[in-house]
Amino acid sequence: MSVLVPETVQKTVLTGAQTIAPHVRRAGSRYRFGAPGWLLALATICAAAATIPLVYLVVRTSEAGLGELVDTLLRARVLQLTLNSVLLAVTVTVSCLILGTASAWVLTRVRLAGGRTLLLLAALPLAVPSYLAAYGWLVWFPGLNGFGAAWFVMTAVCTPYVTLPVAAALRGASGDLQAVARTLGRGPVSAFWAATWPQIRPAAISGALLVCLYSLSDFGLVAMLRFQTLTWGINAAYGASFDRNQAALLALVLVVLALVVVAGERKSRGQVERGGGRSTLPVLAPGRWRTPLVTLVLLAPLAGIAVPILGLLSRLLDAATLRAVDVPRLMEAVGATLALALGAALVAALLALPIAALAARYRGRLVSAIEAVGFLGHGLPGIVVGLALVFFALAAVPALYQTSIVLVFAYVVLFMPRAIGSMRSGIAAVPGSLTDVSRMLGYSPLVTWWRVTARLALPGIGVGALLVAISVMKELPATLLLRPTGVATLATELWSRTAVFEFGAAAPYAAALVLLAAVPTVILSGIRGVAKEES
Amino acid sequence: MRLSIPLTALAAGVTALALVGCSTTSATTPTDTAASSEADGSFTLYSGRDEVLVQPLIDMFEEETGISVEVRYGNTAELGALLLEEGDRTPAQVFLSQDAGALGALSNADLFATLPAETTDAVPAGFTSTDDTWVGVTGRARVIAYDGEKLSADEVPTSVDAFTEPEWSGRVAIAPTNASFQAFVTAYRVLNGEAAADAWVADLVANSPQIFDNNRAILSAVNEGVVDVGLLNHYYWFAQAAEAGAENMRAQLSYPEAGDAGSIVNVTGAGVLKGAANDADALEFVNFLVSPMAQEYFVEETYEYPLVAGIDAPAGLPALDSLVNPDLDLADLESLSETQALLGKYGLI
């Protein structure tokens, strides 16, 4: 998602064809002494929020003796769970990268009727909670289980994380180079690889990062489809044996995996290569390829949303006991879900901003460390972050325990990473020359930041906040642990009904949840819509 | 200092918001609530049992006594972990648990107050705690669910020992991380000895069982024809039959013979948290749970066995005393960690 904005922003800003060196490159000469202390301090404070789960895990783990730790770590099962987690994360990431990039290419380079609708459909799987998607598939194919099933459904729900940013990047990318490569005799794939891929690589990689962390940390889908990963082991340790030490140890293994992934992403992200500003995109006529291309784009939405929703509907029609929908109660859950999602999106954006500003403008080990720490929460399952905040809130702010404030804070820890990436790219794409001009015209740093940087980076900030909002609406375990007693969200209401087989009663909540999460998804897909490009 | 002023302003704003939050919520801090131990007309319940099943009962209690109940619903395992994390700072006064394992874990962590003898005496000794830290509320039998289209009742084994035979290879569903399954394996160890239990688990694992996350998923799989048999608790079948219609159920239940480890009857139960040791409202609720009114409610609504004398078992179920194993007391099932070591040894958990 993270690069949804910069290219488009750049395009808005630069209508000429001059090349602007990325701001990052100027950083060295301008800020000879690295990042200003106050920004480092602020970003460190914000990143500190994300370390709460880590502190908790270390405290819990250290309660177990060294012998117990080694025993647990060396158990064959831990190795098996770790391998399963890695296998799922790697395969899902690769397939999302391929399918997402291909879909994005079709959506931006091929003239298809209803392109705007197709883009919207491609984004929609984001609105479906992973556990609902898995459940919907099980209605049709009750025997689905194991790695293949988990890989397939996970890929379907995660592909938009790649499709959306890559589509945005492609729209901003120059098509000239690819045309040149083609005239020089390269085949289409080779030309794409040589000319287009370097321009969309940062977008694709940061999308892949979200996919990878998501598949490492998700529990609902792997539990439904019976593929035993580390999150399964963590939940089992909490649940069956009440062994919080072992759960914490498994979670630490997950943290290590997540940090490796984040470090890898940062390394491979590299410098953003920017071609010339606006270019006329070669929009190809699909010809006889129309059907296969449309099918390709629709694969993820078909598997991630159409099949599961139809499954849920059929289960609803089968239910012998259809109860009247309790409308006030449904509305109350909608209200609570909306309020929590908006609150968390706002706070997550505020906390992610300093980290993003730092990571966008400066490099270095400390900056990398702060950014990596900001991503921690995303690699952990909700139950771990939930319990960590129970621990933290009771120790630090007992008065706030089981209030919406702590719950919102938990959401922020879990989902801030989704905001950091897009905000970082948004800020990085604001050309330094513009802020320089503003300063030369006599505007203060405050006015410059507000009128130039913030304004141009606003779409990136908005994208980050929307992603947080979508995720909050779907989140379950942390909500169950931390919500104020008596407060119900759509996800908890859905859970409490499916838990007792009341699929008839659950259906309105499932429908409301998907509809509500679809609203920010639609906005996301429309932020730089195809329609706008075409008009 | 290009970004400093607005960001500092933002930080100040967040701090201010947090402070406002503090001041508005401090009137009802959880620690305050936990500290008040006298009867104040209300208490907080953590319910590991589902809202749809339990809320009508709580409504009855509120109407009867005028005491208001703040209920926090969740899954038993998560609420158990939550209570362990909260320790003596918990806002909860009572925990209603879906299984005895969670109650045992909290009791071992010394989180429960001792209940008066008249409360625990309402339930026969085999179905409640030995140290009066919690009281059994309802009974649930271990059963074998089988695919009624593939198997006839007499083809289903009456002992779990049969499931290690080659003919059941790949056909048996279990949920090894589930507390009820672990209680059953503990019963196997207690009844048949460690060596036999070790051999049974080893043979079962070698027989490629289908691993599930919970009982509900097992029942769905049997009902869809995905697996032939599954080991679970009896009431899941009745819950699903209530939604889908009993005549539409493909899965059928078979009760292992009394004396087999597969036939144990486990319980749900409730305990009062330490901080509420003297809370008359909390105690009144626990007493209500073992009163005839609540017991009849469970029989009619959840098809569980009543534990209090004089209440009839749900229609269509074998009598409780025909299942109860004379050689086994629920108190014998405390050695959970040995069971987990055994399951861990064969890679099941």
Side-chain angles (χ1 to χ4, degrees), chain B residues 114-130:
Chain B
T114 307
L115 294 169
E118 58 264 35
T119 303
T120 50
D121 285 349
V123 175
F127 295 108
T128 193
S129 59
T130 46

Side-chain angles (χ1 to χ4, degrees), chain A residues 2-284:
Chain A
S2 50
V3 195
L4 255 183
V5 175
E7 287 78 5
T8 29
V9 166
Q10 192 179 17
K11 208 162 46 178
T12 328
V13 175
L14 311 169
T15 41
Q18 79 273 35
T19 304
I20 293 291
H23 201 96
V24 208
R25 289 197 187 148
R26 303 170 53 255
S29 58
R30 189 179 173 93
Y31 304 108
R32 208 165 299 150
F33 303 106
W38 61 267
L39 181 58
L40 269 176
L42 201 57
T44 307
I45 292 169
C46 294
T51 62
I52 290 172
L54 192 59
V55 171
Y56 167 78
L57 292 176
V58 170
V59 169
R60 279 282 156 267
T61 315
S62 62
E63 276 188 2
L66 190 65
E68 187 188 332
L69 289 185
V70 175
D71 280 355
T72 308
L73 268 184
L74 292 182
R75 274 168 54 185
R77 182 169 163 82
V78 174
L79 181 65
Q80 186 61 50
L81 293 176
T82 309
L83 287 178
N84 283 358
S85 279
V86 171
L87 176 68
L88 184 68
V90 168
T91 52
V92 168
T93 306
V94 169
S95 51
C96 284
L97 251 182
I98 296 171
L99 183 59
T101 307
S103 299
W105 187 85
V106 172
L107 285 167
T108 52
R109 292 288 199 254
V110 183
R111 198 197 325 269
L112 292 169
R116 177 84 185 82
T117 314
L118 278 180
L119 180 65
L120 171 61
L121 289 176
L124 269 187
L126 283 183
V128 184
S130 67
Y131 47 87
L132 265 192
Y135 179 76
W137 272 92
L138 282 175
V139 170
W140 298 115
F141 306 98
L144 272 187
N145 75 86
F147 165 72
W151 165 79
F152 177 76
V153 181
M154 190 76 92
T155 298
V157 296
C158 286
T159 298
Y161 285 116
V162 175
T163 313
L164 286 179
V166 173
L170 272 172
R171 258 179 260 121
S174 164
D176 301 345
L177 285 173
Q178 175 143 7
V180 170
R182 291 284 278 142
T183 36
L184 289 175
R186 296 235 194 176
V189 173
S190 165
F192 172 85
W193 204 244
T196 309
W197 174 248
Q199 300 184 72
I200 60 170
R201 199 186 60 155
I205 287 176
S206 61
L209 171 70
L210 291 186
V211 172
C212 194
L213 292 177
Y214 186 93
S215 27
L216 276 179
S217 66
D218 183 67
F219 171 67
L221 189 150
V222 294
M224 286 256 174
L225 296 175
R226 297 202 276 138
F227 184 60
Q228 299 186 23
T229 60
L230 280 169
T231 56
W232 171 304
I234 289 166
N235 274 268
Y238 280 128
S241 52
F242 298 93
D243 186 344
R244 289 173 298 157
N245 297 345
Q246 183 180 339
L249 191 62
L250 292 179
L252 274 182
V253 177
L254 206 49
V255 166
V256 172
L257 289 181
L259 283 178
V260 169
V261 171
V262 172
E265 188 264 353
R266 203 178 153 85
K267 204 164 182 186
S268 59
R269 187 198 307 150
Q271 293 281 354
V272 180
E273 298 291 338
R274 293 197 191 289
R278 192 163 188 86
S279 64
T280 47
L281 300 177
V283 178
L284 310 168

Side-chain angles (χ1 to χ4, degrees), chain B residues 193-215:
Chain B
E194 301 294 340
D198 191 290
W200 185 78
V201 173
D203 292 347
L204 185 74
V205 169
N207 221 10
S208 315
Q210 301 269 326
I211 308 292
F212 285 78
D213 186 38
N214 57 46
N215 285 319

Side-chain angles (χ1 to χ4, degrees), chain B residues 164-245:
Chain B
T164 57
E165 302 293 330
E167 63 167 310
W168 292 103
S169 177
R171 299 168 67 192
V172 184
I174 57 171
T177 53
N178 184 271
S180 304
F181 179 84
Q182 297 187 357
F184 144 71
V185 175
T186 307
Y188 199 104
R189 287 178 37 241
V190 171
L191 289 170
N192 304 323
E194 301 294 340
D198 191 290
W200 185 78
V201 173
D203 292 347
L204 185 74
V205 169
N207 221 10
S208 315
Q210 301 269 326
I211 308 292
F212 285 78
D213 186 38
N214 57 46
N215 285 319
R216 193 169 287 112
I218 291 182
L219 179 62
S220 293
V222 174
N223 206 40
E224 308 271 5
V226 175
V227 280
D228 293 349
V229 295
L231 304 182
L232 65 156
N233 296 339
H234 80 277
Y235 57 91
Y236 288 95
W237 188 91
F238 292 94
Q240 187 162 352
E243 167 88 3

